[in-house]
Amino acid sequence: MLEHGGDLMRASREYGIPEERWLDLSTGINPTGYPVPPVPPGIWQRLPGDPEPLLCAAREYYQAVDLLQIAGTQAAIQALPRLRRHSRVTLAALTYNEYVHAWKRQGHAVQAVPPREFDARIAETDVLVVCNPNNPSGERIEPDRLREWHVRLAARDGWLIVDEAYIDLMPDASLAPFASRPGLIVLRSLGKFFGLAGARVGFVAADRALLHALRDELGPWSVAGPAQFAAIAALQDRDWQAQTRAALIASGRRLHALLACAGIPAQGTALFQWWRHEHAAELHRALAQQAILTRRIQDGDRGGVRIGLPRDEADWRRLEQALFLWKEMQCA
């Protein structure tokens, strides 16, 4: 199992601090997620039924023609490499680490390079995997550039896989509306913006032939009935989406400014900030000693730390105080 954010049990053991005392800023997930209404009891007592109501809500929200519901994008990340013969796969040197693991596990040739090299590598690539925005760096690639790469790859029966886990805050940049074209695969999730990571609901937008193959690979009942109920409610709640989008953008700016005041010039998205620096591990450790968990990620010889959004004003003050102590320690 690869390491991910949110492992409070491990942090509790390492620092000797009870789990209930921790402020978890390690996941990059909306800390005030969608308020799911009570699930009707009957849904728990039967197998998931026709997914069409869920797909209808998802098609409307993502503006996508053809979709497949999946148990979180992790299901597609693991299954897609099984649908291709040996391929040359290119992805970012610093990105969501499950992609490298999944493609290598199926015997594909994987090369990890900086995103600035993607364009030059297309000619020697069968599958290009792009997280847009990237996790953890927050780096973005313009939709026009992505569509250009898709055309070049599709001409050779190649794939462009675009993971849009963090794009809900900039929906106009999504490629989901174009994903019915062969060779373009877009992954979407309810885990980040909606804060419903525990529901394990995601979608694949792609051409119908690929979706049929993926559905056969994953089997029936891929999304549980209660999870479908929660997802339909969230996808259809336009008022909550608009209010949350504005609130998260403001919170992202606040976090960026707070870190800057502490001498940490970070970058990222509205849901997290990323600081790549030789002292990043020290920041991670200093915050952890105050029971604030961040996500430390090795990036070459420097490493970095990803910091998510506090939930409420008490958590904001707690982070601010911890960063003030960090700044004082650096100036000492």
Side-chain angles (χ1 to χ4, degrees):
M1 296 290 291
L2 300 179
E3 183 180 347
H4 296 281
D7 194 348
L8 288 177
M9 184 179 296
R10 177 178 177 180
S12 177
R13 289 196 304 265
E14 182 175 352
Y15 291 93
I17 302 173
E19 287 186 48
E20 62 271 15
R21 288 181 52 194
W22 284 87
L23 169 57
D24 186 4
L25 304 180
S26 68
T27 62
I29 291 172
N30 181 357
T32 54
Y34 184 73
V36 179
V39 179
I43 292 179
W44 293 101
Q45 298 166 349
R46 58 180 180 267
L47 288 170
D50 183 1
E52 186 55 30
L54 173 62
L55 292 174
C56 182
R59 284 193 290 264
E60 179 71 20
Y61 177 78
Y62 296 119
Q63 294 296 292
V65 176
D66 296 307
L67 290 168
L68 176 68
Q69 76 283 3
I70 53 175
T73 50
Q74 183 63 34
I77 290 170
Q78 293 182 213
L80 286 170
R82 299 197 294 267
L83 299 184
R84 285 190 70 96
R85 289 176 290 183
H86 184 269
S87 298
R88 300 164 298 173
V89 181
T90 299
L91 39 68
L94 177 67
T95 195
Y96 185 56
N97 57 13
E98 290 287 349
Y99 282 104
V100 171
H101 181 68
W103 286 92
K104 282 187 174 180
R105 187 177 184 183
Q106 296 302 318
H108 298 280
V110 178
Q111 57 177 347
V113 304
R116 64 179 178 274
E117 296 184 16
F118 282 170
D119 190 69
R121 302 277 183 148
I122 293 291
E124 56 190 67
T125 296
D126 302 309
V127 177
L128 176 62
V129 180
V130 179
C131 292
N132 197 41
N134 190 38
N135 174 22
S137 69
E139 186 173 356
R140 301 171 180 83
I141 298 176
E142 290 300 316
D144 287 347
R145 175 57 62 89
L146 290 171
R147 287 196 288 267
E148 176 192 337
W149 290 344
H150 162 244
V151 170
R152 292 165 63 186
L153 287 162
R156 298 182 283 104
D157 294 321
W159 287 355
L160 172 63
I161 300 175
V162 186
D163 186 329
E164 296 184 342
Y166 286 99
I167 212 165
D168 295 77
L169 291 155
M170 51 191 84
D172 291 343
S174 173
L175 292 194
F178 308 97
S180 58
R181 302 170 184 176
L184 178 58
I185 303 166
V186 177
L187 307 185
R188 298 297 297 261
S189 168
L190 268 68
K192 312 302 183 187
F193 171 71
F194 289 98
L196 296 177
R200 308 309 305 140
V201 181
F203 299 92
V204 180
D207 70 273
R208 292 182 181 179
L210 188 141
L211 293 181
H212 289 161
L214 186 58
R215 183 180 58 193
D216 290 344
E217 181 70 23
L218 295 174
W221 309 307
S222 58
V223 178
Q228 290 193 35
F229 174 84
I232 291 171
L235 290 167
Q236 292 180 337
D237 195 334
R238 297 290 187 268
D239 290 341
W240 182 90
Q241 293 162 19
Q243 294 167 8
T244 300
R245 191 170 287 115
L248 288 174
I249 290 172
S251 293
R253 290 171 178 162
R254 181 178 180 181
L255 179 59
H256 181 84
L258 181 59
L259 292 169
C261 287
I264 300 171
Q267 64 182 52
T269 73
L271 284 168
F272 64 82
Q273 290 291 302
W274 165 252
W275 187 46
R276 181 178 184 267
H277 196 273
E278 59 185 3
H279 295 311
E282 297 174 24
L283 174 63
H284 169 82
R285 186 163 50 252
L287 293 176
Q289 289 168 346
Q290 299 179 68
I292 298 176
L293 184 61
T294 58
R295 177 79 164 92
R296 182 165 57 88
I297 302 171
Q298 190 62 33
D299 178 18
D301 58 353
R302 300 181 72 183
V305 61
R306 187 185 68 192
I307 304 174
L309 296 176
R311 178 185 298 273
D312 53 32
E313 285 302 317
D315 289 346
W316 278 103
R317 288 193 299 271
R318 185 173 167 186
L319 176 61
E320 184 176 12
Q321 291 167 1
L323 290 172
F324 177 78
L325 291 175
W326 158 262
K327 185 177 181 180
E328 281 196 328
M329 183 174 65
Q330 296 302 298
C331 295

